[in-house]
Amino acid sequence: MNTNKLKRGALRALILILLYILQTDVFTHLKISCACPLALPLAAVGFGLFDGGLTGGLWGLAAGILCDVSVGSGGGFTVLLTLAGFFSGFLSEFLLAKGFPSFLTLSAVTLLLCAFIQAAPAVAYRGMPLSSAAAAALIQTLYSLIFVLPVYWVSRGISRMKGR
């Protein structure tokens, strides 16, 4: 097996573990209006966008499992981030450029879907008004987008290690 593939895989795993620690131990103390930022979905999108659908789907699965553990949901993040990683890679192969505007757009859509997955039980079972859920989802999405640039640089950098 190619040592570059092993190095990239180890770096991706390290990034996911670092983002998981930040998301569970640091970001939970940085709430804005009961919203904590999510960083793991950004990694799923980045790995998919720069390394293709299969890689994005597999690392999206790992990020989704970690996100489900972090947030305590029932598997919604695992499915969503697997699909987000896969479709980010698929779209980058056929439709989107592999640059920051595409990463920002895909990240915003993925984060918004993640926020709605978190809000759905409150709306369905606890009677939370849909307008309140939408406002919370928007706040969380915008708050999470602060971390787009660092995750973009890291995921793009790992992808560019191929030729070395």
Side-chain angles (χ1 to χ4, degrees):
M1 183 167 209
N2 189 350
T3 58
N4 280 338
K5 286 184 180 182
L6 288 174
K7 287 178 186 177
R8 287 193 316 263
L11 282 173
R12 286 187 191 107
L14 184 66
I15 294 303
L16 286 183
I17 290 168
L18 177 65
L19 290 175
Y20 173 76
I21 291 169
L22 286 172
Q23 188 169 303
T24 56
D25 294 336
V26 177
F27 296 163
T28 55
H29 300 291
L30 302 174
K31 292 183 180 182
I32 294 179
S33 183
C34 295
C36 297
L38 294 175
L40 287 165
L42 301 174
V45 170
F47 295 155
L49 184 70
F50 296 114
D51 291 312
L54 179 62
T55 301
L58 292 174
W59 287 101
L61 175 67
I65 291 169
L66 290 173
C67 207
D68 276 327
V69 169
S70 169
V71 177
S73 67
F77 285 109
T78 301
V79 173
L80 176 64
L81 295 186
T82 301
L83 292 173
F86 173 76
F87 282 112
S88 295
F90 180 79
L91 291 172
S92 74
E93 299 272 333
F94 300 108
L95 187 62
L96 298 175
K98 294 181 181 184
F100 185 73
S102 298
F103 181 73
L104 180 64
T105 303
L106 291 171
S107 294
V109 169
T110 302
L111 288 168
L112 198 57
L113 290 171
C114 287
F116 279 115
I117 283 177
Q118 285 181 283
V123 171
Y125 301 120
R126 288 183 239 130
M128 180 181 199
L130 196 55
S131 60
S132 298
L138 185 61
I139 290 169
Q140 180 173 323
T141 300
L142 292 174
Y143 192 17
S144 300
L145 284 174
I146 293 171
F147 304 99
V148 163
L149 202 54
V151 175
Y152 169 77
W153 282 332
V154 168
S155 57
R156 187 185 68 173
I158 292 172
S159 172
R160 290 184 174 182
M161 289 177 60
K162 290 180 184 178
R164 293 181 186 165

